[in-house]
Amino acid sequence: VASAHPYATEAGLDILRRGGNAFDAVVAVATTLNVVEPFMSGMGGIGVALVYIEKEKRTRVLNFSGHAPKAADPVLYNEDNIETGPLAPLIPGNVGGWLTMHNEYGSADRSTLFRRAISYASEGVALTPFNVANVILAMERVQQFEPSLAALDFDTKNLSIGSILRQPMLSDSLAAVADGGIEEFYEGKLGDKIIEGHQALGGIIGREELA
């Protein structure tokens, strides 16, 4: 197991030690990266997976990169809002990608796979030097949007290596997906909240598009 953060790597190793397979470990790593590197990885993000299935002797690709909202129009965008804010996101694909792989090839239950991520988000993680550098770069953007700032529980004025970052809202969202699966994120109450908050900020992703 290899990832960009030791906590995420350990989460994947823990799953393997408990008897899970590589696809289970992928979910544990991805969900934990969501917590420990929120500036890089997220439930609202997109991705692509290239996997080899030993028992089938074949390589498969899963594209969960999402698409632009139907309401997207070039006239809406400028150099700032095309990268930052409610007009910027594609349709989120990560949860669908992670759990599609798990549903087809995984063996462990979701609660086990999400366990560390949920705990880290609730109890907090100590920021590494890389974390601190990227959080400082991101804060200028985050502070433009009160709901985004509210989702991060830490001392922004005394940010340093070892500072504890808590994300209780993210913990709740991860727990909801661990319980309800893909359907909860895209079609359930969590999806409703995502779209409600997104559109309140001026976002253009529709409820049916998320579903």
Side-chain angles (χ1 to χ4, degrees):
V1 178
S3 81
H5 196 286
Y7 284 9
T9 299
E10 179 58 34
L13 289 171
D14 180 59
I15 292 300
L16 296 182
R17 294 188 189 106
R18 293 171 179 267
N21 63 27
F23 293 94
D24 298 319
V26 163
V27 177
V29 169
T31 54
T32 304
L33 281 175
N34 189 164
V35 178
V36 299
E37 289 195 344
F39 46 84
M40 293 291 292
S41 310
M43 299 173 76
I46 59 173
V48 177
L50 176 67
V51 300
Y52 178 72
I53 301 93
E54 169 62 24
K55 65 183 179 182
E56 298 177 3
K57 304 295 183 186
R58 65 169 173 160
T59 299
R60 302 188 70 180
V61 176
L62 180 63
N63 182 349
F64 44 101
S65 57
H67 56 78
K70 292 178 181 178
D73 188 296
V75 301
L76 297 175
Y77 294 92
N78 56 44
E79 290 183 0
D80 295 324
N81 67 20
I82 200 169
E83 293 187 353
T84 304
L87 295 180
L90 299 175
I91 310 301
N94 273 349
V95 171
W98 301 339
L99 295 186
T100 292
M101 286 188 289
H102 174 255
N103 288 345
E104 186 147 354
Y105 294 112
S107 60
D109 61 274
R110 285 194 307 269
S111 62
T112 300
L113 304 185
F114 280 67
R115 180 179 61 87
R116 287 205 181 207
I118 293 168
S119 176
Y120 287 143
S122 176
E123 298 176 12
V125 293
L127 297 180
T128 67
F130 183 71
N131 287 153
V132 172
N134 280 276
V135 168
I136 289 173
L137 289 174
M139 285 311 296
E140 183 178 346
R141 292 182 172 187
V142 171
Q143 289 172 337
Q144 296 178 44
F145 306 99
E146 186 176 339
S148 298
L149 192 60
L152 306 175
D153 180 7
F154 69 119
D155 185 355
T156 58
K157 294 181 180 179
N158 297 295
L159 185 62
S160 62
I161 297 167
S163 293
I164 302 300
L165 170 62
R166 296 179 179 85
Q167 300 169 84
M169 295 181 190
L170 177 58
S171 180
D172 291 344
S173 295
L174 288 164
V177 174
D179 182 54
I182 290 177
E183 291 78 9
E184 176 62 25
F185 185 87
Y186 293 101
E187 301 175 37
K189 292 181 179 178
L190 179 57
D192 293 340
K193 290 181 180 179
I194 290 170
I195 292 300
E196 180 182 351
H198 174 69
Q199 293 182 347
L201 288 173
I204 57 175
I205 295 175
R207 185 66 188 87
E208 291 184 3
E209 285 186 285
L210 183 65

